[in-house]
Amino acid sequence: MEISNYLQIKKKLPINVNLLAVSKGFGSQEIKIINNEGQNDFGESRFQEAIEKKFLLKDFKNIKWHFIGRIQSNKIRKIVQNFEYIHSVDSYEKLLKISNVSFQERKHPLIMLQVKFSDDPSKGGFDPKILIEQWDQIKEFKSIKIKGLMTINPKGLSSSQNIKLFQKCRNLADSLKLPDCSMGMSGDWKEAVEAGSTWLRLGSIIFGKRSY
Ligand SMILES: *Cc1c(COP(=O)(O)O)cnc(C)c1O
């Protein structure tokens, strides 16, 4: 646990840039330590792991849970029931299902649509062109609030390549009049801030090395 990294990064961020502490692979104890420093937003990518921590931390009412992992369709109801934010909605079909389930559950999750700005077969996401075509329909979906776009850059890019891809995300979000861009991880968060991120998703730089 690198509390000093956390505090230093936090101090450097412009006020419009939020920090999501990605606690996957770490336990409720670590979460409590940085929650005590004022960190309320936590991101998890595996449903079962998240639910166990959420239960252990149920008395910590200020914690907000964000789902950032790949969404399996059969888990959508549970994700909607348990997370205030969903950053990783990577298809029209899943978004529609999230909307329908949210209506049934009387929930109003805040949504980021995951978009792919480079060919990375290991990552899901909307194709930007298709998202633009589908946008008029998508923005009418009930019971959800689409706050922005989310993207994950491929590993191993140079600093300027990272900035270019993040700028594509920012530009698309602006053109759709969406305020948020969930972009930037431990290795590329500075570039993401430069390109206009509003949500950094930071794991290892805060919590240390994960086992997965
Ligand atoms: C694990 C994960 C992160 C955090 O990654 P680090 O490199 O440890 O900061 C961010 N976003 C997503 C979607 C993740 O799965």
Side-chain angles (χ1 to χ4, degrees), residues 20 22 24 44-45 68-69 87-88 114 123 150-152 155 182 184-187 200-206 208 210 212:
L20 179 62
V22 176
K24 68 183 189 200
E44 291 281 342
S45 59
I68 63 169
H87 288 238
S88 44
Q114 185 171 349
K123 294 283 180 295
M150 181 273 222
T151 198
I152 304 174
K155 290 207 166 62
S182 168
M185 302 173 32
S186 292
L200 301 175
R201 305 181 311 271
L202 301 182
S204 47
I205 201 169
I206 298 173
R210 280 185 300 275
Y212 67 84

PDB file of all heavy atoms in Angstrom, residues 20 22 24 44-45 68-69 87-88 114 123 150-152 155 182 184-187 200-206 208 210 212, ligand 1:
ATOM      1  N   LEU A  20     -10.422   7.352  -9.204  1.00  0.00           N
ATOM      2  CA  LEU A  20     -11.062   6.094  -8.838  1.00  0.00           C
ATOM      3  C   LEU A  20      -9.963   5.144  -8.372  1.00  0.00           C
ATOM      4  O   LEU A  20      -9.045   4.836  -9.127  1.00  0.00           O
ATOM      5  CB  LEU A  20     -11.794   5.522 -10.061  1.00  0.00           C
ATOM      6  CG  LEU A  20     -12.497   4.179  -9.855  1.00  0.00           C
ATOM      7  CD1 LEU A  20     -13.588   4.277  -8.792  1.00  0.00           C
ATOM      8  CD2 LEU A  20     -13.095   3.686 -11.175  1.00  0.00           C
ATOM      9  N   VAL A  22      -8.679   1.738  -7.815  1.00  0.00           N
ATOM     10  CA  VAL A  22      -9.026   0.395  -8.307  1.00  0.00           C
ATOM     11  C   VAL A  22      -8.482  -0.639  -7.315  1.00  0.00           C
ATOM     12  O   VAL A  22      -7.281  -0.922  -7.270  1.00  0.00           O
ATOM     13  CB  VAL A  22      -8.475   0.170  -9.728  1.00  0.00           C
ATOM     14  CG1 VAL A  22      -8.765  -1.258 -10.190  1.00  0.00           C
ATOM     15  CG2 VAL A  22      -9.090   1.181 -10.702  1.00  0.00           C
ATOM     16  N   LYS A  24      -9.252  -3.861  -6.931  1.00  0.00           N
ATOM     17  CA  LYS A  24      -9.251  -5.296  -7.285  1.00  0.00           C
ATOM     18  C   LYS A  24      -7.939  -5.948  -6.840  1.00  0.00           C
ATOM     19  O   LYS A  24      -6.873  -5.341  -6.970  1.00  0.00           O
ATOM     20  CB  LYS A  24      -9.454  -5.469  -8.790  1.00  0.00           C
ATOM     21  CG  LYS A  24      -8.289  -4.974  -9.606  1.00  0.00           C
ATOM     22  CD  LYS A  24      -8.566  -5.110 -11.110  1.00  0.00           C
ATOM     23  CE  LYS A  24      -7.305  -4.822 -11.885  1.00  0.00           C
ATOM     24  NZ  LYS A  24      -7.543  -4.477 -13.285  1.00  0.00           N
ATOM     25  N   GLU A  44     -13.899  -1.922  -9.041  1.00  0.00           N
ATOM     26  CA  GLU A  44     -13.680  -3.367  -8.991  1.00  0.00           C
ATOM     27  C   GLU A  44     -14.031  -3.959 -10.350  1.00  0.00           C
ATOM     28  O   GLU A  44     -14.959  -3.502 -11.022  1.00  0.00           O
ATOM     29  CB  GLU A  44     -14.591  -4.006  -7.924  1.00  0.00           C
ATOM     30  CG  GLU A  44     -14.209  -3.632  -6.493  1.00  0.00           C
ATOM     31  CD  GLU A  44     -13.015  -4.418  -5.962  1.00  0.00           C
ATOM     32  OE1 GLU A  44     -12.692  -5.476  -6.538  1.00  0.00           O
ATOM     33  OE2 GLU A  44     -12.401  -3.968  -4.972  1.00  0.00           O
ATOM     34  N   SER A  45     -13.303  -5.024 -10.730  1.00  0.00           N
ATOM     35  CA  SER A  45     -13.581  -5.596 -12.039  1.00  0.00           C
ATOM     36  C   SER A  45     -14.119  -7.023 -11.991  1.00  0.00           C
ATOM     37  O   SER A  45     -14.507  -7.562 -13.017  1.00  0.00           O
ATOM     38  CB  SER A  45     -12.342  -5.537 -12.927  1.00  0.00           C
ATOM     39  OG  SER A  45     -11.298  -6.245 -12.330  1.00  0.00           O
ATOM     40  N   ILE A  68     -15.819  -1.806 -13.208  1.00  0.00           N
ATOM     41  CA  ILE A  68     -14.949  -1.461 -14.340  1.00  0.00           C
ATOM     42  C   ILE A  68     -14.555  -2.681 -15.169  1.00  0.00           C
ATOM     43  O   ILE A  68     -13.764  -2.561 -16.101  1.00  0.00           O
ATOM     44  CB  ILE A  68     -13.670  -0.729 -13.861  1.00  0.00           C
ATOM     45  CG1 ILE A  68     -12.809  -1.635 -12.962  1.00  0.00           C
ATOM     46  CG2 ILE A  68     -14.025   0.569 -13.129  1.00  0.00           C
ATOM     47  CD1 ILE A  68     -11.420  -1.060 -12.687  1.00  0.00           C
ATOM     48  N   GLY A  69     -15.094  -3.847 -14.827  1.00  0.00           N
ATOM     49  CA  GLY A  69     -14.663  -5.072 -15.509  1.00  0.00           C
ATOM     50  C   GLY A  69     -15.539  -5.439 -16.693  1.00  0.00           C
ATOM     51  O   GLY A  69     -16.552  -4.790 -16.961  1.00  0.00           O
ATOM     52  N   HIS A  87     -18.449   1.570 -15.635  1.00  0.00           N
ATOM     53  CA  HIS A  87     -17.526   2.220 -16.586  1.00  0.00           C
ATOM     54  C   HIS A  87     -17.301   1.425 -17.859  1.00  0.00           C
ATOM     55  O   HIS A  87     -16.610   1.897 -18.750  1.00  0.00           O
ATOM     56  CB  HIS A  87     -16.138   2.386 -15.956  1.00  0.00           C
ATOM     57  CG  HIS A  87     -16.040   3.412 -14.889  1.00  0.00           C
ATOM     58  ND1 HIS A  87     -15.177   4.473 -14.953  1.00  0.00           N
ATOM     59  CD2 HIS A  87     -16.706   3.544 -13.715  1.00  0.00           C
ATOM     60  CE1 HIS A  87     -15.290   5.211 -13.864  1.00  0.00           C
ATOM     61  NE2 HIS A  87     -16.203   4.671 -13.082  1.00  0.00           N
ATOM     62  N   SER A  88     -17.771   0.215 -17.905  1.00  0.00           N
ATOM     63  CA  SER A  88     -17.274  -0.712 -18.920  1.00  0.00           C
ATOM     64  C   SER A  88     -18.386  -1.283 -19.796  1.00  0.00           C
ATOM     65  O   SER A  88     -18.359  -2.442 -20.161  1.00  0.00           O
ATOM     66  CB  SER A  88     -16.520  -1.837 -18.214  1.00  0.00           C
ATOM     67  OG  SER A  88     -17.265  -2.280 -17.074  1.00  0.00           O
ATOM     68  N   GLN A 114     -17.665   2.183 -22.972  1.00  0.00           N
ATOM     69  CA  GLN A 114     -16.276   1.853 -23.318  1.00  0.00           C
ATOM     70  C   GLN A 114     -16.105   1.904 -24.831  1.00  0.00           C
ATOM     71  O   GLN A 114     -16.866   1.282 -25.588  1.00  0.00           O
ATOM     72  CB  GLN A 114     -15.925   0.460 -22.783  1.00  0.00           C
ATOM     73  CG  GLN A 114     -14.460   0.109 -23.006  1.00  0.00           C
ATOM     74  CD  GLN A 114     -14.045  -1.166 -22.285  1.00  0.00           C
ATOM     75  OE1 GLN A 114     -14.778  -1.697 -21.447  1.00  0.00           O
ATOM     76  NE2 GLN A 114     -12.868  -1.653 -22.606  1.00  0.00           N
ATOM     77  N   LYS A 123      -9.361  -6.283 -26.012  1.00  0.00           N
ATOM     78  CA  LYS A 123     -10.281  -5.355 -25.351  1.00  0.00           C
ATOM     79  C   LYS A 123     -11.600  -5.234 -26.103  1.00  0.00           C
ATOM     80  O   LYS A 123     -11.625  -5.262 -27.329  1.00  0.00           O
ATOM     81  CB  LYS A 123      -9.643  -3.954 -25.276  1.00  0.00           C
ATOM     82  CG  LYS A 123      -8.405  -3.882 -24.384  1.00  0.00           C
ATOM     83  CD  LYS A 123      -8.781  -3.862 -22.928  1.00  0.00           C
ATOM     84  CE  LYS A 123      -7.588  -3.790 -21.983  1.00  0.00           C
ATOM     85  NZ  LYS A 123      -6.732  -4.984 -22.032  1.00  0.00           N
ATOM     86  N   MET A 150     -15.359   5.708 -21.743  1.00  0.00           N
ATOM     87  CA  MET A 150     -14.231   5.078 -21.054  1.00  0.00           C
ATOM     88  C   MET A 150     -13.345   4.437 -22.108  1.00  0.00           C
ATOM     89  O   MET A 150     -13.844   3.901 -23.100  1.00  0.00           O
ATOM     90  CB  MET A 150     -14.769   4.024 -20.091  1.00  0.00           C
ATOM     91  CG  MET A 150     -13.718   3.296 -19.284  1.00  0.00           C
ATOM     92  SD  MET A 150     -13.039   1.871 -20.121  1.00  0.00           S
ATOM     93  CE  MET A 150     -12.964   0.707 -18.772  1.00  0.00           C
ATOM     94  N   THR A 151     -12.047   4.524 -21.915  1.00  0.00           N
ATOM     95  CA  THR A 151     -11.169   3.826 -22.833  1.00  0.00           C
ATOM     96  C   THR A 151      -9.943   3.289 -22.102  1.00  0.00           C
ATOM     97  O   THR A 151      -9.554   3.810 -21.045  1.00  0.00           O
ATOM     98  CB  THR A 151     -10.792   4.725 -24.041  1.00  0.00           C
ATOM     99  OG1 THR A 151     -10.290   3.910 -25.096  1.00  0.00           O
ATOM    100  CG2 THR A 151      -9.758   5.785 -23.675  1.00  0.00           C
ATOM    101  N   ILE A 152      -9.392   2.224 -22.657  1.00  0.00           N
ATOM    102  CA  ILE A 152      -8.167   1.605 -22.128  1.00  0.00           C
ATOM    103  C   ILE A 152      -7.162   1.598 -23.265  1.00  0.00           C
ATOM    104  O   ILE A 152      -7.423   0.990 -24.303  1.00  0.00           O
ATOM    105  CB  ILE A 152      -8.423   0.153 -21.671  1.00  0.00           C
ATOM    106  CG1 ILE A 152      -9.556   0.082 -20.637  1.00  0.00           C
ATOM    107  CG2 ILE A 152      -7.136  -0.470 -21.114  1.00  0.00           C
ATOM    108  CD1 ILE A 152      -9.961  -1.346 -20.262  1.00  0.00           C
ATOM    109  N   LYS A 155      -1.047  -1.467 -24.097  1.00  0.00           N
ATOM    110  CA  LYS A 155       0.224  -1.288 -23.376  1.00  0.00           C
ATOM    111  C   LYS A 155       1.351  -0.975 -24.355  1.00  0.00           C
ATOM    112  O   LYS A 155       1.259  -1.292 -25.538  1.00  0.00           O
ATOM    113  CB  LYS A 155       0.563  -2.581 -22.633  1.00  0.00           C
ATOM    114  CG  LYS A 155      -0.370  -2.840 -21.476  1.00  0.00           C
ATOM    115  CD  LYS A 155       0.306  -3.673 -20.386  1.00  0.00           C
ATOM    116  CE  LYS A 155      -0.496  -3.623 -19.107  1.00  0.00           C
ATOM    117  NZ  LYS A 155      -1.848  -4.200 -19.250  1.00  0.00           N
ATOM    118  N   SER A 182     -13.420   8.509 -18.676  1.00  0.00           N
ATOM    119  CA  SER A 182     -12.760   7.618 -17.727  1.00  0.00           C
ATOM    120  C   SER A 182     -11.555   7.029 -18.444  1.00  0.00           C
ATOM    121  O   SER A 182     -11.677   6.108 -19.247  1.00  0.00           O
ATOM    122  CB  SER A 182     -13.752   6.521 -17.303  1.00  0.00           C
ATOM    123  OG  SER A 182     -13.104   5.481 -16.613  1.00  0.00           O
ATOM    124  N   GLY A 184      -6.965   6.652 -18.243  1.00  0.00           N
ATOM    125  CA  GLY A 184      -5.730   6.829 -17.494  1.00  0.00           C
ATOM    126  C   GLY A 184      -5.633   5.800 -16.389  1.00  0.00           C
ATOM    127  O   GLY A 184      -6.526   5.692 -15.553  1.00  0.00           O
ATOM    128  N   MET A 185      -4.564   4.997 -16.434  1.00  0.00           N
ATOM    129  CA  MET A 185      -4.288   3.985 -15.416  1.00  0.00           C
ATOM    130  C   MET A 185      -2.908   4.285 -14.832  1.00  0.00           C
ATOM    131  O   MET A 185      -2.326   5.335 -15.105  1.00  0.00           O
ATOM    132  CB  MET A 185      -4.379   2.588 -16.036  1.00  0.00           C
ATOM    133  CG  MET A 185      -5.756   2.368 -16.645  1.00  0.00           C
ATOM    134  SD  MET A 185      -6.108   0.878 -17.627  1.00  0.00           S
ATOM    135  CE  MET A 185      -5.134  -0.411 -16.943  1.00  0.00           C
ATOM    136  N   SER A 186      -2.380   3.361 -14.033  1.00  0.00           N
ATOM    137  CA  SER A 186      -1.117   3.674 -13.338  1.00  0.00           C
ATOM    138  C   SER A 186       0.010   4.082 -14.292  1.00  0.00           C
ATOM    139  O   SER A 186       0.821   4.934 -13.955  1.00  0.00           O
ATOM    140  CB  SER A 186      -0.675   2.479 -12.492  1.00  0.00           C
ATOM    141  OG  SER A 186      -1.579   2.303 -11.437  1.00  0.00           O
ATOM    142  N   GLY A 187       0.051   3.466 -15.484  1.00  0.00           N
ATOM    143  CA  GLY A 187       1.164   3.729 -16.393  1.00  0.00           C
ATOM    144  C   GLY A 187       0.976   4.924 -17.314  1.00  0.00           C
ATOM    145  O   GLY A 187       1.945   5.356 -17.956  1.00  0.00           O
ATOM    146  N   LEU A 200      -9.541   9.157 -13.438  1.00  0.00           N
ATOM    147  CA  LEU A 200      -8.393   8.257 -13.542  1.00  0.00           C
ATOM    148  C   LEU A 200      -8.737   6.987 -12.784  1.00  0.00           C
ATOM    149  O   LEU A 200      -9.287   7.043 -11.686  1.00  0.00           O
ATOM    150  CB  LEU A 200      -7.165   8.896 -12.897  1.00  0.00           C
ATOM    151  CG  LEU A 200      -6.699  10.229 -13.468  1.00  0.00           C
ATOM    152  CD1 LEU A 200      -5.539  10.767 -12.627  1.00  0.00           C
ATOM    153  CD2 LEU A 200      -6.291  10.086 -14.926  1.00  0.00           C
ATOM    154  N   ARG A 201      -8.398   5.850 -13.358  1.00  0.00           N
ATOM    155  CA  ARG A 201      -8.627   4.563 -12.682  1.00  0.00           C
ATOM    156  C   ARG A 201      -7.277   4.006 -12.257  1.00  0.00           C
ATOM    157  O   ARG A 201      -6.560   3.410 -13.049  1.00  0.00           O
ATOM    158  CB  ARG A 201      -9.329   3.581 -13.624  1.00  0.00           C
ATOM    159  CG  ARG A 201     -10.646   4.105 -14.233  1.00  0.00           C
ATOM    160  CD  ARG A 201     -11.281   3.044 -15.127  1.00  0.00           C
ATOM    161  NE  ARG A 201     -10.328   2.484 -16.056  1.00  0.00           N
ATOM    162  CZ  ARG A 201     -10.063   2.973 -17.269  1.00  0.00           C
ATOM    163  NH1 ARG A 201     -10.703   4.026 -17.729  1.00  0.00           N
ATOM    164  NH2 ARG A 201      -9.158   2.404 -18.043  1.00  0.00           N
ATOM    165  N   LEU A 202      -6.920   4.219 -11.001  1.00  0.00           N
ATOM    166  CA  LEU A 202      -5.570   3.872 -10.556  1.00  0.00           C
ATOM    167  C   LEU A 202      -5.581   2.720  -9.564  1.00  0.00           C
ATOM    168  O   LEU A 202      -6.224   2.790  -8.520  1.00  0.00           O
ATOM    169  CB  LEU A 202      -4.906   5.088  -9.914  1.00  0.00           C
ATOM    170  CG  LEU A 202      -4.780   6.335 -10.806  1.00  0.00           C
ATOM    171  CD1 LEU A 202      -4.064   7.457 -10.055  1.00  0.00           C
ATOM    172  CD2 LEU A 202      -4.052   6.021 -12.109  1.00  0.00           C
ATOM    173  N   GLY A 203      -4.845   1.680  -9.927  1.00  0.00           N
ATOM    174  CA  GLY A 203      -4.736   0.510  -9.061  1.00  0.00           C
ATOM    175  C   GLY A 203      -3.351   0.376  -8.460  1.00  0.00           C
ATOM    176  O   GLY A 203      -3.075   0.836  -7.354  1.00  0.00           O
ATOM    177  N   SER A 204      -2.432  -0.240  -9.217  1.00  0.00           N
ATOM    178  CA  SER A 204      -1.141  -0.626  -8.647  1.00  0.00           C
ATOM    179  C   SER A 204      -0.317   0.549  -8.124  1.00  0.00           C
ATOM    180  O   SER A 204       0.426   0.397  -7.157  1.00  0.00           O
ATOM    181  CB  SER A 204      -0.336  -1.426  -9.675  1.00  0.00           C
ATOM    182  OG  SER A 204      -0.363  -0.794 -10.926  1.00  0.00           O
ATOM    183  N   ILE A 205      -0.453   1.707  -8.702  1.00  0.00           N
ATOM    184  CA  ILE A 205       0.344   2.854  -8.233  1.00  0.00           C
ATOM    185  C   ILE A 205      -0.063   3.258  -6.810  1.00  0.00           C
ATOM    186  O   ILE A 205       0.722   3.842  -6.068  1.00  0.00           O
ATOM    187  CB  ILE A 205       0.246   4.031  -9.236  1.00  0.00           C
ATOM    188  CG1 ILE A 205       1.414   4.997  -9.070  1.00  0.00           C
ATOM    189  CG2 ILE A 205      -1.073   4.761  -9.112  1.00  0.00           C
ATOM    190  CD1 ILE A 205       1.529   6.024 -10.197  1.00  0.00           C
ATOM    191  N   ILE A 206      -1.276   2.899  -6.434  1.00  0.00           N
ATOM    192  CA  ILE A 206      -1.752   3.199  -5.074  1.00  0.00           C
ATOM    193  C   ILE A 206      -1.602   1.986  -4.155  1.00  0.00           C
ATOM    194  O   ILE A 206      -1.105   2.087  -3.039  1.00  0.00           O
ATOM    195  CB  ILE A 206      -3.256   3.591  -5.082  1.00  0.00           C
ATOM    196  CG1 ILE A 206      -3.484   4.860  -5.895  1.00  0.00           C
ATOM    197  CG2 ILE A 206      -3.767   3.771  -3.660  1.00  0.00           C
ATOM    198  CD1 ILE A 206      -4.963   5.176  -6.050  1.00  0.00           C
ATOM    199  N   GLY A 208      -0.124  -1.070  -4.830  1.00  0.00           N
ATOM    200  CA  GLY A 208       1.015  -1.968  -4.996  1.00  0.00           C
ATOM    201  C   GLY A 208       0.700  -3.041  -6.036  1.00  0.00           C
ATOM    202  O   GLY A 208      -0.353  -3.023  -6.672  1.00  0.00           O
ATOM    203  N   ARG A 210      -0.382  -6.311  -7.862  1.00  0.00           N
ATOM    204  CA  ARG A 210      -1.455  -7.289  -7.675  1.00  0.00           C
ATOM    205  C   ARG A 210      -0.988  -8.676  -8.048  1.00  0.00           C
ATOM    206  O   ARG A 210      -0.095  -8.830  -8.865  1.00  0.00           O
ATOM    207  CB  ARG A 210      -2.625  -6.992  -8.631  1.00  0.00           C
ATOM    208  CG  ARG A 210      -3.556  -5.927  -8.255  1.00  0.00           C
ATOM    209  CD  ARG A 210      -4.702  -5.875  -9.268  1.00  0.00           C
ATOM    210  NE  ARG A 210      -4.264  -5.618 -10.632  1.00  0.00           N
ATOM    211  CZ  ARG A 210      -4.047  -4.413 -11.132  1.00  0.00           C
ATOM    212  NH1 ARG A 210      -4.204  -3.342 -10.390  1.00  0.00           N
ATOM    213  NH2 ARG A 210      -3.671  -4.271 -12.388  1.00  0.00           N
ATOM    214  N   TYR A 212      -2.939 -10.564  -9.794  1.00  0.00           N
ATOM    215  CA  TYR A 212      -3.444 -10.788 -11.159  1.00  0.00           C
ATOM    216  C   TYR A 212      -3.584  -9.474 -11.893  1.00  0.00           C
ATOM    217  O   TYR A 212      -3.558  -8.426 -11.294  1.00  0.00           O
ATOM    218  CB  TYR A 212      -4.779 -11.529 -11.145  1.00  0.00           C
ATOM    219  CG  TYR A 212      -5.956 -10.775 -10.561  1.00  0.00           C
ATOM    220  CD1 TYR A 212      -6.704  -9.875 -11.347  1.00  0.00           C
ATOM    221  CD2 TYR A 212      -6.316 -10.947  -9.235  1.00  0.00           C
ATOM    222  CE1 TYR A 212      -7.800  -9.194 -10.819  1.00  0.00           C
ATOM    223  CE2 TYR A 212      -7.408 -10.279  -8.703  1.00  0.00           C
ATOM    224  CZ  TYR A 212      -8.147  -9.402  -9.498  1.00  0.00           C
ATOM    225  OH  TYR A 212      -9.203  -8.740  -8.972  1.00  0.00           O
TER     226      TYR A 212
HETATM  227  C1  LIG B   1      -7.040  -3.064 -13.275  1.00  0.00           C
HETATM  228  C2  LIG B   1      -7.670  -1.950 -13.999  1.00  0.00           C
HETATM  229  C3  LIG B   1      -7.235  -0.626 -13.799  1.00  0.00           C
HETATM  230  C4  LIG B   1      -6.084  -0.255 -12.895  1.00  0.00           C
HETATM  231  O1  LIG B   1      -4.892  -0.677 -13.451  1.00  0.00           O
HETATM  232  P1  LIG B   1      -3.463  -0.216 -12.850  1.00  0.00           P
HETATM  233  O2  LIG B   1      -2.554  -0.332 -14.004  1.00  0.00           O
HETATM  234  O3  LIG B   1      -3.148  -1.143 -11.747  1.00  0.00           O
HETATM  235  O4  LIG B   1      -3.624   1.193 -12.391  1.00  0.00           O
HETATM  236  C5  LIG B   1      -7.894   0.372 -14.494  1.00  0.00           C
HETATM  237  N1  LIG B   1      -8.917   0.103 -15.326  1.00  0.00           N
HETATM  238  C6  LIG B   1      -9.353  -1.144 -15.549  1.00  0.00           C
HETATM  239  C7  LIG B   1     -10.477  -1.361 -16.495  1.00  0.00           C
HETATM  240  C8  LIG B   1      -8.745  -2.210 -14.896  1.00  0.00           C
HETATM  241  O5  LIG B   1      -9.186  -3.453 -15.130  1.00  0.00           O
END
